[in-house]
Amino acid sequence: MESSISSELQHSATEHVHDEEGNSMFGFIVFLLSESIIFLSFFAGYIALKLTATDWLPPGVSGLEVREPAINTIVLVSSSFVIYFAEKALDRQNLWGFRILLLATAAMGSYFLWGQATEWRGLSFGVTTGTYGGLFYLLTGFHGLHVLTGVLLQGIMLARSFIPGNYEGGHFGINATSLFWHFVDVIWIVLFLLIYIWQ
Amino acid sequence: MTNIPIESIPVLGKNPLPPAWRKYFSFSTDHKVIGVQYLVTSFVFFLIGGLLSMVMRAELITPESDLVDRSLYNSMFTMHGTIMIFLWIFPSLLGLANFLVPLMIGARDMAFPRLNAVAFWMVPVFGILLMSSFFLPSGASQSGWWAYPPVSLQNPSGDLINGQVMWLLAVAISGVASIMGAVNFVTTIFKMRAPGMTFFRMPIFVWTVLSAQLIQLVGLPALTAGAVMLLLDLTLGTSFFNPEKGGNPLLYQHFFWFYSHPAVYVMVLPIFGVFSEILPVYARKPLFGYRVVAISSITISVVSLLVWVHHMFASGTPGWMRMFFMATTMCVAVPTGVKIFAWTATIWRGKLRMDTPMLFALGAILMFLFAGITGVMLGSVPFDIHVNNTYFVVGHFHYIVYGTITMGMFAALYHWFPKITGRMYYEGLGKLHFWLAFIGTNLNFFPMHPAGLMGMPRRVSSYDPEYAFWNVLASLGGFLLGMSTLPFILNMVSSWVQGKKAPANPWRAIGLEWLVSSPPPVENFEEIPVVIAEPYGYGKSEPLVSNAAAMTQEA
Ligand code: HEM
Ligand SMILES: [Cu+2]
C-alpha cells in the first residue's frame, strides 16, 4: 500500500483527468438512481389511485389503443442497442461509425417522440379528465421530457465529435448519454406495462 | 484516489490575495468559502424565522386573537416552519458538512466544486422567492409546512401566482439544490478519501453526513413527485389529490411523509455526528464503540425509510398499517439508544472540560433524550390518537429542532469557530449564550406538553383560557430564547474581527482538520495525508498520519 501511495502522489495530470472522469461517472450513476425514484413514486401513485378509484376510466373513454404505442416501444428499446454499438465504435476509434450510429439513435428517439405526440393529439380526454387523464399525461409527459433530453444530449455529443481533440479527456460525455438512454428505456418498459398492458 | 492540486498553490506574499472578506461574496468554488456562505446565509434566515416566532408567541400570550389577523397568523406559522427547516437547518448543516468533510477525509475539495457553488447559490434564490410571497396581494401560503390538500388547494384569491404556488416553487428549487448537494457529498466521501482513510477510519461526522445524504437521494424524489402533482392540481386543475374530483388527498400525505419523516433524520444525524466529535475531545477519551456508532447511523437511515405512517395514525389509515408502522417506529429507538449509550459511556469518568461547545453538546443530548421519549410515546397508536395535532406534538419536535439540532449546531459553531475563522471566541459570552438558550428552550417548549395533553390544538391564534397559564410560560421562554441569540451574534462578530489568533489545534483535538493551520490554506493540504490510525485516539499517543510535516504548509 505504502509504495503505491507514493507513486500515486507523483502521477501526472492525465491521471488526474481519469480520476475526475471516474468521479463524474460515479456521481452521474448516483443521480440516476435518485432520479429513478421520482418515476417509482409516480408509478406508486398511479397504482394506488387506480386501485382505490371508484370509476377509473372517465365517462366516454374506453381505454387506450395498444398497437401504435407497441411499435413505438419496439423502436425505443432497439435504439438502446444502437447506442451501445455507437459506444463500441468509438472505443474502436471508428469515428464515422460512431457518428452514424449515434445519429440513428437520435432519429429513433425522435420517431418515438413524434409517435407520442400523434397519440396525444388523437385522444378523447385531457389532463383534467379525472385522475386517469391526469396520470396518463403526467407519466407519458414526464417520460417524454426525458426522451427529449436524451435526444438533445445525443445531438450535443454528435456536434462535439467534430471538435478536434474532443476525446483526449476520455469518453465520459458519451458514456453518460448512453447510460441515460438505457435508463429512459427501462423506465418506458415499466410505464408501457402499467399504462397500456394493465388496462 | 489521487488528489492533485488543480492549480499550484499561490505563495503567500508574492501573490497578494484580495481582502479576505470579499471572497465570501463571490462565486467561489472553495468548499471552505462555500461552507461559510451557507452558514452565514442560513443564520440570517434563522433570525427571520425567529422573528416570526416572536410575533406568534406574542399573539399567544393572551387567549384572544388580538395581535395579528388570523390569516396572517396562518401564513406566519407556515413560513416559520418552512424557513426553519429549508432555510436554517438544512443549509446550516450543509455549511458545516461543506467545511468539514473534505478536511476530515483528507481531500483538497469536494468532488464537484462548481456544482457545489451552484447548489449554494440556489439557497438565497429560493429564500428570496419564498419571502417575497408575503408581498403578494393574497399573502403567503397558509396551509402549514406540510401543505396538505385539500387545504392547500383552496386558493381563495383565484390568482395564478399565489402564496401556495410560490411555496411549491421554492420547495422544488430547494429539492434540486439538495439533490445536487447529495450527489456531491456521496461521491466525495466514496471517491476522494486520502490514502489509508478507510471507511472505518472516517470520523463519525463523515459517517452521519453520508447517511443523511443517502436519505436525501432516496426520499427527496418522492416529495418532488408529490409536489409536482400538487402544483398541477393547483395550476392546471388536475385532480390527483382533489377529493371533489375523485382524487385522493391521503396519497399526498404518503408522498410527503415518505420523505419528511426521513428528513428529520437528515437533520439530526449530522448533529449526532457533531456530538460524537465533540464529546471525546472534551472528555479526553476515545469515542465508545466507534464501529457500532458508525453502523448505527446507516441503520437509522434505513429504518427511517419505513416509519412514515406514524404521522398519519389519525388520517384514516387502515388498522394493519397502523400496527406495522407502530412496530417499525419503536425499532428506530434501538439504534438511537445505542448512540446515547455510546455517548454516555464516552464521558463516563472522563476528565470533562466544560467549555462552551461541551456545554451545548451535553445540553442538546439531554434534551434529545426527552424528545426521544415523547417520540416513542407518539409512536404508539392509542396515545397518538389522543394528542395528534395538539401542542404535545409541537413540544416534541421543538425539543428536537431547537433543543437538539439548533443547540448541537451552536456546539459545532463554537467548536470549529477557531478553525473556520482563525480566531478564538469569548468563552464568557459563549457560556452566557448557553445558559440563556438552555433555560429558554425548556421554558418555551416544555409547557407545550401539558397544554397539548389538556387538548390545546396546534396552529390556532386563539384558544380556551384554561390553557393560558402554559402559554404565558411558553411565551416568556420564547422571548428569553430570542434574547439568547444576542450574545451569540456579539460573540461571533467581535471575535471574528478582533479575537485572539487561534493556533492550529486549540482544543488538542485529534483529526485531520486540526493538523492544518487555522484557517486552513487554500486546497487544505500541501501533500495529501497518509492516514495510519483510527480516529479518536485520545490517550493513546499514536500518530494519525505518517506525513504530518509534509502535509502542512509550514514546511
Ligand atoms: C425516537 C425517535 C422519534 C420518534 C419515535 C418520533 C415519533 C414521532 C411521531 C409519532 C410523530 C407524529 C405525531 C403526530 O403528528 O401525531 C412525530 C412528529 C414529529 N417529529 Fe418525531 N420522533 C422521533 C424523533 C424525531 C426526530 C429525531 C426529529 C427531528 C430531527 C423529529 C421531528 C418530528 C417532527 C418535525 C414532527 C412533527 C411534524 C408535524 O406534524 O408537523 N422526531 N414524531
Ligand atoms: Cu416521523
Side-chain angles (χ1 to χ4, degrees):
Chain A
M1 188 74 193
E2 291 285 317
S3 66
S4 79
I5 289 158
S6 54
S7 73
E8 260 189 53
L9 288 174
Q10 285 153 11
H11 269 314
S12 58
T14 53
E15 179 66 25
H16 180 52
V17 167
H18 281 289
D19 221 44
E20 289 226 312
E21 276 240 305
N23 289 354
S24 302
M25 205 56 197
F26 183 92
F28 189 68
I29 292 172
V30 171
F31 167 75
L32 278 187
L33 288 175
S34 181
E35 181 81 358
S36 66
I37 292 179
I38 299 197
F39 281 106
L40 288 182
S41 309
F42 283 146
F43 295 160
Y46 179 86
I47 294 171
L49 284 172
K50 176 160 181 176
L51 291 181
T52 57
T54 36
D55 313 294
W56 174 237
L57 290 178
V61 178
S62 56
L64 291 163
E65 177 63 50
V66 181
R67 213 176 65 89
E68 297 294 326
I71 297 174
N72 246 342
T73 306
I74 292 168
V75 172
L76 191 67
V77 172
S78 339
S79 72
S80 238
F81 294 93
V82 180
I83 201 168
Y84 171 80
F85 287 112
E87 248 181 313
K88 287 285 150 248
L90 188 62
D91 287 345
R92 275 185 270 101
Q93 320 250 321
N94 175 358
L95 205 52
W96 273 107
F98 162 73
R99 282 174 187 145
I100 290 167
L101 287 167
L102 193 62
L103 189 65
T105 314
M108 291 163 93
S110 310
Y111 174 83
F112 175 88
L113 284 175
W114 179 75
Q116 180 82 261
T118 320
E119 188 195 3
W120 277 19
R121 249 180 285 124
L123 289 174
S124 61
F125 57 91
V127 253
T128 52
T129 320
T131 45
Y132 178 79
L135 284 166
F136 173 81
Y137 286 102
L138 176 71
L139 262 62
T140 51
F142 192 67
H143 176 264
L145 274 181
H146 282 74
V147 178
L148 184 65
T149 311
V151 172
L152 290 179
L153 282 176
Q154 288 153 11
I156 295 172
M157 289 307 133
L158 196 60
R160 285 226 311 228
S161 75
F162 290 95
I163 301 173
N166 182 41
Y167 297 111
E168 270 162 23
H171 297 173
F172 166 67
I174 178 65
N175 293 344
T177 306
S178 160
L179 188 66
F180 183 75
W181 198 244
H182 299 320
F183 166 77
V184 168
D185 255 15
V186 173
I187 296 286
W188 176 258
I189 294 174
V190 182
L191 214 159
F192 183 73
L193 292 176
L194 272 183
I195 296 189
Y196 292 94
I197 305 297
W198 182 40
Q199 292 220 23
Chain B
M1 270 185 240
T2 54
N3 217 320
I4 308 292
I6 297 157
E7 297 144 33
S8 56
I9 296 157
V11 185
L12 288 173
K14 261 191 213 162
N15 202 346
L17 296 160
W21 56 269
R22 219 184 283 163
K23 63 175 184 259
Y24 294 113
F25 292 90
S26 68
F27 186 84
S28 169
T29 55
D30 179 342
H31 73 97
K32 299 185 290 299
V33 175
I34 296 178
V36 174
Q37 287 174 325
Y38 265 118
L39 287 169
V40 174
T41 312
S42 61
F43 189 73
V44 171
F45 285 113
F46 175 66
L47 294 180
I48 299 175
L51 221 56
L52 290 172
S53 71
M54 295 293 100
V55 181
M56 291 193 286
R57 276 317 332 166
E59 167 69 72
L60 292 175
I61 208 163
T62 58
E64 299 80 33
S65 174
D66 44 17
L67 185 64
V68 293
D69 191 50
R70 279 179 198 272
S71 55
L72 181 58
Y73 185 85
N74 292 347
S75 292
M76 288 180 127
F77 68 67
T78 302
M79 292 298 246
H80 165 75
T82 310
I83 290 170
M84 287 305 197
I85 288 174
F86 293 102
L87 287 158
W88 158 243
I89 299 184
F90 277 164
S92 65
L93 289 171
L94 283 176
L96 201 61
N98 242 298
F99 191 92
L100 290 176
V101 165
L103 280 166
M104 283 181 160
I105 62 173
R108 290 211 157 87
D109 208 318
M110 298 282 287
F112 309 114
R114 202 187 282 266
L115 188 71
N116 200 17
V118 173
F120 162 72
W121 283 101
M122 290 168 90
V123 175
V125 169
F126 77 78
I128 292 169
L129 188 72
L130 188 69
M131 296 300 145
S132 62
S133 67
F134 265 120
F135 302 105
L136 290 174
S138 51
S141 161
Q142 300 184 36
S143 57
W145 82 285
W146 58 28
Y148 278 4
V151 177
S152 52
L153 293 176
Q154 298 298 310
N155 189 14
S157 71
D159 301 338
L160 181 61
I161 304 293
N162 56 53
Q164 194 64 55
V165 168
M166 300 279 268
W167 185 92
L168 278 166
L169 288 179
V171 169
I173 300 177
S174 152
V176 173
S178 299
I179 290 291
M180 289 175 168
V183 168
N184 210 344
F185 276 110
V186 170
T187 309
T188 305
I189 294 171
F190 270 91
K191 307 286 274 187
M192 306 276 285
R193 282 169 291 121
M197 177 60 80
T198 57
F199 275 104
F200 280 111
R201 282 182 182 164
M202 296 193 312
I204 292 292
F205 182 75
V206 180
W207 274 97
T208 55
V209 169
L210 180 64
S211 317
Q213 298 299 326
L214 287 173
I215 295 181
Q216 292 283 57
L217 290 169
V218 179
L220 249 180
L223 177 71
T224 311
V228 167
M229 289 161 83
L230 189 64
L231 191 65
L232 294 177
D233 274 5
L234 197 59
T235 52
L236 292 189
T238 53
S239 52
F240 303 118
F241 304 134
N242 192 340
E244 283 168 34
K245 298 196 229 160
N248 184 350
L250 261 189
L251 181 62
Y252 175 84
Q253 295 190 17
H254 282 289
F255 281 137
F256 183 82
W257 288 114
F258 179 78
Y259 172 61
S260 294
H261 175 81
V264 305
Y265 282 97
V266 176
M267 301 186 249
V268 86
L269 275 168
I271 295 297
F272 290 170
V274 167
F275 298 155
S276 309
E277 297 306 314
I278 289 183
L279 296 185
V281 178
Y282 296 87
R284 312 307 304 164
K285 279 174 63 190
L287 181 70
F288 184 86
Y290 162 72
R291 277 174 188 243
V292 180
V293 176
I295 296 289
S296 73
S297 306
I298 297 285
T299 317
I300 288 179
S301 304
V302 175
V303 181
S304 79
L305 289 167
L306 296 172
V307 304
W308 76 93
V309 174
H310 67 216
H311 295 270
M312 301 167 59
F313 285 156
S315 303
T317 33
W320 64 265
M321 212 185 239
R322 295 185 190 173
M323 286 307 121
F324 175 79
F325 283 95
M326 177 162 112
T328 52
T329 300
M330 301 293 159
C331 291
V332 194
V334 176
T336 316
V338 164
K339 291 201 165 189
I340 295 200
F341 179 78
W343 295 327
T344 314
T346 304
I347 56 176
W348 193 254
R349 300 202 172 163
K351 294 195 270 302
L352 300 194
R353 202 168 71 205
M354 285 297 175
D355 291 341
T356 308
M358 185 63 162
L359 281 177
F360 269 100
L362 292 179
I365 291 175
L366 207 63
M367 290 192 274
F368 177 65
L369 196 61
F370 183 72
I373 293 170
T374 55
V376 173
M377 289 163 76
L378 287 169
S380 84
V381 175
F383 184 83
D384 185 63
I385 299 285
H386 179 60
V387 297
N388 109 88
N389 259 322
T390 69
Y391 258 87
F392 192 90
V393 176
V394 182
H396 156 69
F397 71 76
H398 277 89
Y399 263 83
I400 296 279
V401 291
Y402 207 107
T404 310
I405 299 176
T406 303
M407 295 288 269
M409 177 52 78
F410 285 134
L413 290 177
Y414 284 109
H415 181 65
W416 281 287
F417 184 83
K419 184 52 64 187
I420 295 173
T421 62
R423 305 279 182 163
M424 301 303 287
Y425 63 85
Y426 300 112
E427 195 57 49
L429 278 174
K431 291 215 166 79
L432 176 67
H433 175 205
F434 170 74
W435 285 110
L436 290 179
F438 187 72
I439 297 169
T441 309
N442 286 292
L443 193 59
N444 190 352
F445 303 122
F446 184 79
M448 293 180 175
H449 296 83
L453 286 175
M454 288 163 71
M456 178 173 169
R458 63 193 284 203
R459 297 177 170 158
V460 289
S461 61
S462 60
Y463 52 83
D464 193 290
E466 73 173 306
Y467 313 128
F469 173 70
W470 299 114
N471 277 286
V472 172
L473 282 189
S475 288
L476 294 179
F479 300 140
L480 190 62
L481 205 49
M483 296 215 313
S484 74
T485 37
L486 298 180
F488 173 73
I489 297 172
L490 183 67
N491 201 353
M492 293 294 116
V493 173
S494 60
S495 311
W496 202 337
V497 175
Q498 52 167 33
K500 203 157 67 67
K501 282 250 186 314
N505 189 358
W507 316 126
R508 292 186 299 124
I510 297 176
L512 292 181
E513 80 271 31
W514 300 107
L515 292 175
V516 295
S517 62
S518 300
V522 176
E523 301 206 331
N524 305 342
F525 305 102
E526 175 74 5
E527 187 180 301
I528 289 298
V530 178
V531 181
I532 53 172
E534 283 198 5
Y536 312 113
Y538 294 97
K540 288 189 191 154
S541 69
E542 58 182 19
L544 182 61
V545 297
S546 65
N547 55 346
M551 64 173 266
T552 53
Q553 265 189 322
E554 279 105 77

